[in-house]
Amino acid sequence: MQAMVDASLKLVDSVQITELGARDGLQGLSETVDTQVRVTLIELLEIAGLSATEVGAFAPTSRLSLGTSPLPVLEALGHPPTDKVRSVLVPHLHALERAYVAGCRDITVATAASRSFCRAMLGCDIEESLHRIAQITEHAKPLGIAVRARVSTVIDCPFEGPVTPRAVAAIVAQLKQLGCRQICLDDTTGGGGPEAVGTLLHTCLMETPMHTLACHFHDTFGLANANVVEALEHGVRAFDSSISGLGGNPYFPGAAGNLATEELVYLLTGLGMHCGVDLPGLLLAGEYIDCMLDRRTESRVGRAMRAKIPSHGAIQQHNSR
């Protein structure tokens, strides 16, 4: 496999990472995270070199959010640098209007490849979710807003079981037709392995070029890194991840969080890929949010490297209180 990876990576050695910790990673917590903590986390992630972050969701009544508006975070952050993208999750047209007024010019829309999960996550069937996305993309284009789509349960559904690659590819084809700049395939349960990922990508390639696809892996069964390598071999050069492995799946008890950004960056670096992220800076961001949430990191890379690299002074000061 290593020879195959090396041969494929010579084609394009740059990988885009979309950081989800400040949105997907925090939304499932039982308590509301203070605005300043969220702002500081995003700032630390950007300082570490991450160029794309999801900062929140304009979905106060949606299952995608606990009702925490991203407005205070966006106001505190101010306009992003020209080399940074700060996106928000937008589930319907009204949310798009709110995002535009708030100055957002990059948004994420969501659907699922299984009906039961779509109903649980969005409160509607797949067809209705695609209709909403069509409305959003139609209005977003003249406003200069870029739309990224995420498709959940692309391999397995916690309610229905296995999902066929053709069902996913059909949704991908519709999202491409609607003008989504990127379509992210989300293995929501983390149940897929390299073989399933390879089959899925091969099938989706019949509907859209590989450069339009991204992958979002959970590490429930310890296969996230292997799945990243499989996706790289198929030409995928964009991945979602979450600092310190924050996040999870409220509909799948026992599911692990998102692939930790520390682990993704460590893997890509070891493969000779360029992602523009400073690992020590990333470790600081992870240690910061873990400290604020009083949690243990889910990242094995984070645990191992924190033992070698002294904590930042601000972290040490906080721990001494």
Side-chain angles (χ1 to χ4, degrees):
M1 176 179 287
Q2 185 62 45
M4 293 174 62
V5 173
D6 289 343
S8 65
L9 298 190
K10 291 178 181 177
L11 299 176
V12 180
D13 65 357
S14 181
V15 171
Q16 176 199 19
I17 297 175
T18 297
E19 170 59 47
L20 304 182
R23 199 278 300 170
D24 188 18
L26 298 180
Q27 74 177 12
L29 301 177
S30 58
E31 70 277 8
T32 300
V33 179
D34 182 76
T35 294
Q36 188 53 54
V37 172
R38 294 160 67 196
V39 169
T40 301
L41 173 61
I42 294 165
E43 291 176 336
L44 288 172
L45 291 167
E46 291 185 344
I47 290 171
L50 286 160
S51 59
T53 58
E54 278 192 11
V55 302
F58 278 99
T61 61
S62 168
R63 294 156 179 81
L64 292 168
S65 170
L66 292 180
T68 302
S69 171
L71 275 175
V73 174
L74 291 167
E75 291 172 356
L77 287 168
H79 292 293
T82 56
D83 62 339
K84 304 295 182 185
V85 172
R86 296 172 185 157
S87 62
V88 293
L89 187 65
V90 169
H92 46 67
L93 194 56
H94 178 61
L96 173 67
E97 296 168 357
R98 296 182 63 205
Y100 179 74
V101 171
C104 299
R105 297 299 180 264
D106 288 88
I107 64 170
T108 300
V109 294
T111 186
S114 63
R115 295 186 180 279
S116 298
F117 194 85
C118 196
R119 293 190 191 106
M121 179 177 66
L122 295 170
C124 66
D125 287 333
I126 297 172
E127 292 79 9
E128 175 61 23
S129 72
L130 291 171
H131 175 68
R132 294 178 185 178
I133 292 173
Q135 290 181 314
I136 291 169
T137 54
E138 180 183 359
H139 286 77
K141 185 175 181 179
L143 296 174
I145 296 176
V147 181
R148 182 178 190 256
R150 183 175 294 113
V151 186
S152 296
T153 58
V154 296
I155 292 177
D156 184 64
C157 171
F159 307 116
E160 300 177 15
V163 176
T164 66
R166 286 305 309 166
V168 179
I171 294 173
V172 166
Q174 293 182 68
L175 293 171
K176 179 178 181 292
Q177 186 176 16
L178 292 174
C180 296
R181 67 169 178 84
Q182 188 179 77
I183 303 166
C184 184
L185 305 175
D186 180 357
D187 179 16
T188 308
T189 66
E195 183 176 358
V197 169
T199 301
L200 173 65
L201 292 172
H202 177 75
T203 306
C204 288
L205 184 58
M206 300 177 186
E207 304 295 346
T208 188
M210 195 60 70
H211 72 266
T212 66
L213 294 176
C215 287
H216 175 131
F217 296 120
H218 288 239
D219 205 24
T220 308
F221 298 98
L223 293 173
N225 279 338
N227 289 339
V228 168
V229 173
E230 181 71 20
L232 287 169
E233 289 183 345
H234 279 78
V236 175
R237 294 294 183 268
F239 297 91
D240 287 359
S241 63
S242 182
I243 188 69
S244 195
L246 284 166
N249 182 350
Y251 306 105
F252 185 23
N258 299 306
L259 169 62
T261 310
E262 299 96 319
E263 304 219 354
L264 177 58
V265 170
Y266 188 84
L267 172 64
L268 293 173
T269 301
L271 292 173
M273 305 291 289
H274 174 72
C275 58
V277 180
D278 173 61
L279 188 54
L282 200 60
L283 293 171
L284 173 60
E287 189 168 7
Y288 169 78
I289 193 60
D290 289 336
C291 184
M292 295 298 112
L293 299 179
D294 192 24
R295 72 185 287 272
R296 180 176 183 265
T297 180
E298 295 295 325
S299 168
R300 291 159 294 187
V301 170
R303 290 196 296 270
M305 296 196 72
R306 286 180 196 180
K308 296 181 178 181
I309 302 175
S311 297
H312 190 273
I315 303 282
Q316 290 180 327
Q317 183 178 4
H318 176 84
N319 284 336
S320 66
R321 293 175 184 174

